[in-house]
Amino acid sequence: MADRLPATFHVDCDGARAIYRVYGWSHPWDDDPLFESGVNNALAWLEARHVAATFFVISSDLDDPRRCALLLEVVRRGHSVASHSVTHRPLSRLAPDHKRREIFDSKRAIEAALNLPCAGFRAPAYDADPETFNLVAEAGYTFDSSLFPDARSAARAGVTRVLP
């Protein structure tokens, strides 16, 4: 990737299935064109600009052979993959043991399916609290991307401020 421009791009791989699940809606279709077109369009855009990105993956998507193949293509093209949880449910609403599984199990699933280290985590809907950050560190992630540099994110995280 030596010919890539220095930049930081993050892509959340939230397909319609994940968005429906967050709102408690049923997603009765076998395919998810939003996921596939989103990832394919992001890959094309990044390739045209010689830019690498981090793709935040909902690890349950790796159970779908089409999605897994697309995410393997993301890796083949030199992009990073990080965790966006197992099921994309808001973490602050989960019992501690469920939150732990969302954070720990997603890392293991991504590493196993894509055969690469999963260094980063981003909470679904940026819904992170102090317990989330403790679990992310305990799980062995080296970075978290769950906050915006604003007072609201800082308050939710239990810190005085978030540096830009």
Side-chain angles (χ1 to χ4, degrees), residues 24-60:
W25 305 334
S26 171
H27 187 272
W29 304 281
D30 290 335
D31 65 341
D32 188 346
L34 179 62
F35 179 90
E36 292 177 19
S37 66
V39 172
N40 281 319
N41 288 336
L43 285 173
W45 189 90
L46 293 162
E47 188 71 27
R49 287 154 183 83
H50 305 286
V51 174
T54 299
F55 285 71
F56 287 88
V57 173
I58 301 164
S59 69
S60 61

Short mmCIF file of all heavy atoms in Angstrom, two decimals, residues 24-60:
data_model
loop_
_atom_site.label_atom_id
_atom_site.label_comp_id
_atom_site.label_asym_id
_atom_site.label_seq_id
_atom_site.Cartn_x
_atom_site.Cartn_y
_atom_site.Cartn_z
N GLY A 24 -36.00 -3.55 15.58
CA GLY A 24 -36.92 -4.64 15.91
C GLY A 24 -37.79 -5.08 14.75
O GLY A 24 -38.80 -5.75 14.95
N TRP A 25 -37.40 -4.72 13.54
CA TRP A 25 -38.18 -5.09 12.36
C TRP A 25 -37.65 -6.40 11.79
O TRP A 25 -36.48 -6.73 11.92
CB TRP A 25 -38.08 -4.03 11.27
CG TRP A 25 -38.47 -2.65 11.68
CD1 TRP A 25 -39.33 -2.28 12.67
CD2 TRP A 25 -38.00 -1.43 11.10
NE1 TRP A 25 -39.42 -0.91 12.74
CE2 TRP A 25 -38.62 -0.37 11.79
CE3 TRP A 25 -37.12 -1.14 10.07
CZ2 TRP A 25 -38.39 0.96 11.47
CZ3 TRP A 25 -36.89 0.19 9.76
CH2 TRP A 25 -37.52 1.22 10.44
N SER A 26 -38.53 -7.12 11.12
CA SER A 26 -38.13 -8.35 10.44
C SER A 26 -37.55 -8.01 9.07
O SER A 26 -38.07 -7.14 8.36
CB SER A 26 -39.37 -9.24 10.28
OG SER A 26 -39.07 -10.33 9.46
N HIS A 27 -36.48 -8.69 8.69
CA HIS A 27 -35.89 -8.54 7.36
C HIS A 27 -36.10 -9.87 6.64
O HIS A 27 -35.29 -10.79 6.77
CB HIS A 27 -34.41 -8.20 7.45
CG HIS A 27 -33.79 -7.88 6.14
ND1 HIS A 27 -33.25 -8.84 5.32
CD2 HIS A 27 -33.64 -6.70 5.48
CE1 HIS A 27 -32.79 -8.27 4.23
NE2 HIS A 27 -33.01 -6.98 4.30
N PRO A 28 -37.21 -10.00 5.89
CA PRO A 28 -37.59 -11.31 5.33
C PRO A 28 -36.85 -11.72 4.05
O PRO A 28 -37.08 -12.82 3.56
CB PRO A 28 -39.08 -11.12 5.05
CG PRO A 28 -39.22 -9.67 4.74
CD PRO A 28 -38.20 -8.98 5.63
N TRP A 29 -35.97 -10.88 3.53
CA TRP A 29 -35.33 -11.19 2.25
C TRP A 29 -34.02 -11.93 2.46
O TRP A 29 -33.31 -11.73 3.45
CB TRP A 29 -35.09 -9.90 1.47
CG TRP A 29 -36.36 -9.14 1.25
CD1 TRP A 29 -37.34 -9.40 0.33
CD2 TRP A 29 -36.82 -8.02 2.02
NE1 TRP A 29 -38.38 -8.50 0.46
CE2 TRP A 29 -38.08 -7.64 1.49
CE3 TRP A 29 -36.31 -7.30 3.09
CZ2 TRP A 29 -38.83 -6.58 2.00
CZ3 TRP A 29 -37.04 -6.25 3.60
CH2 TRP A 29 -38.28 -5.91 3.04
N ASP A 30 -33.66 -12.76 1.51
CA ASP A 30 -32.40 -13.50 1.59
C ASP A 30 -31.20 -12.61 1.27
O ASP A 30 -30.12 -12.80 1.81
CB ASP A 30 -32.40 -14.68 0.61
CG ASP A 30 -33.35 -15.77 1.04
OD1 ASP A 30 -33.63 -15.87 2.26
OD2 ASP A 30 -33.83 -16.51 0.17
N ASP A 31 -31.38 -11.66 0.38
CA ASP A 31 -30.26 -10.80 0.00
C ASP A 31 -30.36 -9.46 0.71
O ASP A 31 -31.37 -9.14 1.33
CB ASP A 31 -30.19 -10.62 -1.51
CG ASP A 31 -31.39 -9.87 -2.07
OD1 ASP A 31 -32.44 -9.79 -1.39
OD2 ASP A 31 -31.28 -9.36 -3.19
N ASP A 32 -29.30 -8.70 0.62
CA ASP A 32 -29.24 -7.38 1.24
C ASP A 32 -28.46 -6.46 0.31
O ASP A 32 -27.25 -6.26 0.49
CB ASP A 32 -28.58 -7.47 2.61
CG ASP A 32 -28.65 -6.18 3.41
OD1 ASP A 32 -28.96 -5.11 2.82
OD2 ASP A 32 -28.36 -6.22 4.61
N PRO A 33 -29.14 -5.92 -0.72
CA PRO A 33 -28.42 -5.09 -1.69
C PRO A 33 -27.74 -3.87 -1.06
O PRO A 33 -26.73 -3.41 -1.58
CB PRO A 33 -29.50 -4.65 -2.67
CG PRO A 33 -30.68 -5.52 -2.42
CD PRO A 33 -30.54 -6.08 -1.04
N LEU A 34 -28.26 -3.37 0.05
CA LEU A 34 -27.64 -2.22 0.71
C LEU A 34 -26.23 -2.57 1.16
O LEU A 34 -25.29 -1.81 0.95
CB LEU A 34 -28.49 -1.77 1.90
CG LEU A 34 -27.96 -0.59 2.70
CD1 LEU A 34 -27.88 0.66 1.84
CD2 LEU A 34 -28.84 -0.34 3.91
N PHE A 35 -26.05 -3.74 1.77
CA PHE A 35 -24.73 -4.18 2.21
C PHE A 35 -23.81 -4.35 1.00
O PHE A 35 -22.71 -3.81 0.96
CB PHE A 35 -24.84 -5.49 2.99
CG PHE A 35 -23.51 -6.03 3.45
CD1 PHE A 35 -23.01 -5.67 4.68
CD2 PHE A 35 -22.77 -6.87 2.65
CE1 PHE A 35 -21.78 -6.16 5.11
CE2 PHE A 35 -21.54 -7.36 3.07
CZ PHE A 35 -21.05 -7.00 4.31
N GLU A 36 -24.27 -5.12 0.02
CA GLU A 36 -23.41 -5.44 -1.13
C GLU A 36 -23.06 -4.21 -1.95
O GLU A 36 -21.90 -4.00 -2.28
CB GLU A 36 -24.08 -6.50 -1.99
CG GLU A 36 -24.15 -7.84 -1.27
CD GLU A 36 -24.87 -8.91 -2.06
OE1 GLU A 36 -25.02 -8.78 -3.29
OE2 GLU A 36 -25.28 -9.89 -1.43
N SER A 37 -24.05 -3.38 -2.25
CA SER A 37 -23.75 -2.19 -3.04
C SER A 37 -22.90 -1.20 -2.24
O SER A 37 -22.01 -0.56 -2.78
CB SER A 37 -25.03 -1.52 -3.54
OG SER A 37 -25.78 -0.99 -2.45
N GLY A 38 -23.15 -1.11 -0.93
CA GLY A 38 -22.37 -0.21 -0.10
C GLY A 38 -20.90 -0.58 -0.06
O GLY A 38 -20.01 0.25 -0.25
N VAL A 39 -20.62 -1.87 0.15
CA VAL A 39 -19.23 -2.32 0.21
C VAL A 39 -18.57 -2.20 -1.16
O VAL A 39 -17.45 -1.70 -1.29
CB VAL A 39 -19.12 -3.76 0.78
CG1 VAL A 39 -17.70 -4.29 0.64
CG2 VAL A 39 -19.57 -3.78 2.23
N ASN A 40 -19.27 -2.65 -2.20
CA ASN A 40 -18.70 -2.55 -3.56
C ASN A 40 -18.44 -1.11 -3.97
O ASN A 40 -17.38 -0.80 -4.54
CB ASN A 40 -19.61 -3.24 -4.58
CG ASN A 40 -19.45 -4.74 -4.56
OD1 ASN A 40 -18.34 -5.25 -4.45
ND2 ASN A 40 -20.55 -5.45 -4.66
N ASN A 41 -19.37 -0.21 -3.68
CA ASN A 41 -19.17 1.20 -4.03
C ASN A 41 -18.05 1.82 -3.21
O ASN A 41 -17.27 2.63 -3.73
CB ASN A 41 -20.47 1.99 -3.86
CG ASN A 41 -21.49 1.66 -4.93
OD1 ASN A 41 -21.14 1.21 -6.02
ND2 ASN A 41 -22.75 1.87 -4.62
N ALA A 42 -17.96 1.45 -1.94
CA ALA A 42 -16.85 1.97 -1.12
C ALA A 42 -15.51 1.49 -1.67
O ALA A 42 -14.56 2.27 -1.78
CB ALA A 42 -17.02 1.53 0.33
N LEU A 43 -15.43 0.20 -2.04
CA LEU A 43 -14.18 -0.32 -2.60
C LEU A 43 -13.79 0.41 -3.88
O LEU A 43 -12.63 0.76 -4.07
CB LEU A 43 -14.31 -1.82 -2.87
CG LEU A 43 -14.26 -2.73 -1.64
CD1 LEU A 43 -14.58 -4.17 -2.03
CD2 LEU A 43 -12.91 -2.64 -0.95
N ALA A 44 -14.76 0.64 -4.75
CA ALA A 44 -14.47 1.34 -6.01
C ALA A 44 -14.01 2.78 -5.74
O ALA A 44 -13.05 3.26 -6.35
CB ALA A 44 -15.71 1.33 -6.90
N TRP A 45 -14.69 3.47 -4.84
CA TRP A 45 -14.34 4.86 -4.52
C TRP A 45 -12.93 4.93 -3.93
O TRP A 45 -12.12 5.77 -4.32
CB TRP A 45 -15.37 5.42 -3.54
CG TRP A 45 -15.23 6.89 -3.29
CD1 TRP A 45 -15.84 7.89 -3.98
CD2 TRP A 45 -14.43 7.52 -2.29
NE1 TRP A 45 -15.46 9.11 -3.45
CE2 TRP A 45 -14.60 8.91 -2.42
CE3 TRP A 45 -13.59 7.04 -1.29
CZ2 TRP A 45 -13.96 9.83 -1.59
CZ3 TRP A 45 -12.94 7.96 -0.46
CH2 TRP A 45 -13.14 9.34 -0.62
N LEU A 46 -12.64 4.05 -3.00
CA LEU A 46 -11.32 4.04 -2.36
C LEU A 46 -10.22 3.69 -3.35
O LEU A 46 -9.15 4.30 -3.35
CB LEU A 46 -11.32 3.07 -1.18
CG LEU A 46 -12.21 3.48 0.00
CD1 LEU A 46 -12.49 2.27 0.89
CD2 LEU A 46 -11.60 4.62 0.77
N GLU A 47 -10.49 2.70 -4.21
CA GLU A 47 -9.51 2.28 -5.21
C GLU A 47 -9.19 3.42 -6.17
O GLU A 47 -8.02 3.66 -6.50
CB GLU A 47 -10.03 1.06 -5.98
CG GLU A 47 -9.02 0.43 -6.89
CD GLU A 47 -7.92 -0.30 -6.12
OE1 GLU A 47 -8.15 -0.76 -4.99
OE2 GLU A 47 -6.81 -0.39 -6.68
N ALA A 48 -10.21 4.14 -6.60
CA ALA A 48 -10.01 5.24 -7.54
C ALA A 48 -9.15 6.35 -6.95
O ALA A 48 -8.49 7.09 -7.67
CB ALA A 48 -11.36 5.81 -7.99
N ARG A 49 -9.14 6.44 -5.64
CA ARG A 49 -8.39 7.50 -4.96
C ARG A 49 -7.11 6.98 -4.30
O ARG A 49 -6.43 7.74 -3.62
CB ARG A 49 -9.30 8.17 -3.94
CG ARG A 49 -10.34 9.04 -4.63
CD ARG A 49 -11.60 9.22 -3.83
NE ARG A 49 -12.55 9.99 -4.59
CZ ARG A 49 -13.36 9.49 -5.52
NH1 ARG A 49 -13.32 8.20 -5.82
NH2 ARG A 49 -14.21 10.25 -6.18
N HIS A 50 -6.83 5.70 -4.47
CA HIS A 50 -5.63 5.09 -3.89
C HIS A 50 -5.59 5.29 -2.38
O HIS A 50 -4.56 5.67 -1.81
CB HIS A 50 -4.35 5.64 -4.53
CG HIS A 50 -4.35 5.51 -6.01
ND1 HIS A 50 -4.16 4.30 -6.65
CD2 HIS A 50 -4.55 6.43 -6.98
CE1 HIS A 50 -4.24 4.49 -7.95
NE2 HIS A 50 -4.47 5.76 -8.18
N VAL A 51 -6.73 5.03 -1.74
CA VAL A 51 -6.85 5.23 -0.30
C VAL A 51 -7.24 3.90 0.35
O VAL A 51 -8.09 3.18 -0.16
CB VAL A 51 -7.94 6.30 0.01
CG1 VAL A 51 -8.18 6.42 1.50
CG2 VAL A 51 -7.53 7.65 -0.57
N ALA A 52 -6.62 3.61 1.47
CA ALA A 52 -7.00 2.44 2.27
C ALA A 52 -7.95 2.88 3.38
O ALA A 52 -7.91 4.02 3.82
CB ALA A 52 -5.76 1.79 2.87
N ALA A 53 -8.80 1.97 3.82
CA ALA A 53 -9.77 2.28 4.86
C ALA A 53 -9.85 1.15 5.86
O ALA A 53 -9.34 0.05 5.63
CB ALA A 53 -11.15 2.51 4.22
N THR A 54 -10.52 1.44 6.97
CA THR A 54 -10.89 0.41 7.93
C THR A 54 -12.37 0.16 7.78
O THR A 54 -13.17 1.10 7.87
CB THR A 54 -10.56 0.85 9.38
OG1 THR A 54 -9.16 1.08 9.47
CG2 THR A 54 -10.98 -0.21 10.38
N PHE A 55 -12.75 -1.09 7.54
CA PHE A 55 -14.14 -1.49 7.42
C PHE A 55 -14.58 -2.10 8.75
O PHE A 55 -14.01 -3.09 9.20
CB PHE A 55 -14.31 -2.51 6.30
CG PHE A 55 -14.24 -1.93 4.92
CD1 PHE A 55 -13.03 -1.47 4.40
CD2 PHE A 55 -15.37 -1.85 4.12
CE1 PHE A 55 -12.95 -0.92 3.13
CE2 PHE A 55 -15.31 -1.31 2.85
CZ PHE A 55 -14.10 -0.85 2.34
N PHE A 56 -15.59 -1.50 9.38
CA PHE A 56 -16.11 -2.00 10.64
C PHE A 56 -17.22 -3.01 10.33
O PHE A 56 -18.25 -2.67 9.74
CB PHE A 56 -16.62 -0.86 11.52
CG PHE A 56 -15.49 -0.06 12.10
CD1 PHE A 56 -14.95 1.00 11.40
CD2 PHE A 56 -14.94 -0.40 13.32
CE1 PHE A 56 -13.88 1.72 11.92
CE2 PHE A 56 -13.88 0.30 13.85
CZ PHE A 56 -13.35 1.38 13.15
N VAL A 57 -17.00 -4.26 10.75
CA VAL A 57 -17.80 -5.40 10.33
C VAL A 57 -18.64 -5.94 11.49
O VAL A 57 -18.13 -6.12 12.60
CB VAL A 57 -16.87 -6.52 9.81
CG1 VAL A 57 -17.62 -7.79 9.53
CG2 VAL A 57 -16.11 -6.03 8.58
N ILE A 58 -19.90 -6.20 11.21
CA ILE A 58 -20.77 -6.91 12.14
C ILE A 58 -20.47 -8.39 11.94
O ILE A 58 -20.70 -8.94 10.86
CB ILE A 58 -22.25 -6.59 11.85
CG1 ILE A 58 -22.48 -5.08 11.96
CG2 ILE A 58 -23.16 -7.37 12.78
CD1 ILE A 58 -23.77 -4.61 11.32
N SER A 59 -19.91 -9.03 12.96
CA SER A 59 -19.35 -10.36 12.74
C SER A 59 -20.38 -11.41 12.34
O SER A 59 -20.04 -12.37 11.65
CB SER A 59 -18.54 -10.83 13.95
OG SER A 59 -19.38 -11.08 15.05
N SER A 60 -21.64 -11.26 12.70
CA SER A 60 -22.65 -12.23 12.27
C SER A 60 -22.82 -12.21 10.75
O SER A 60 -23.28 -13.19 10.16
CB SER A 60 -23.99 -11.98 12.96
OG SER A 60 -24.49 -10.70 12.65
#
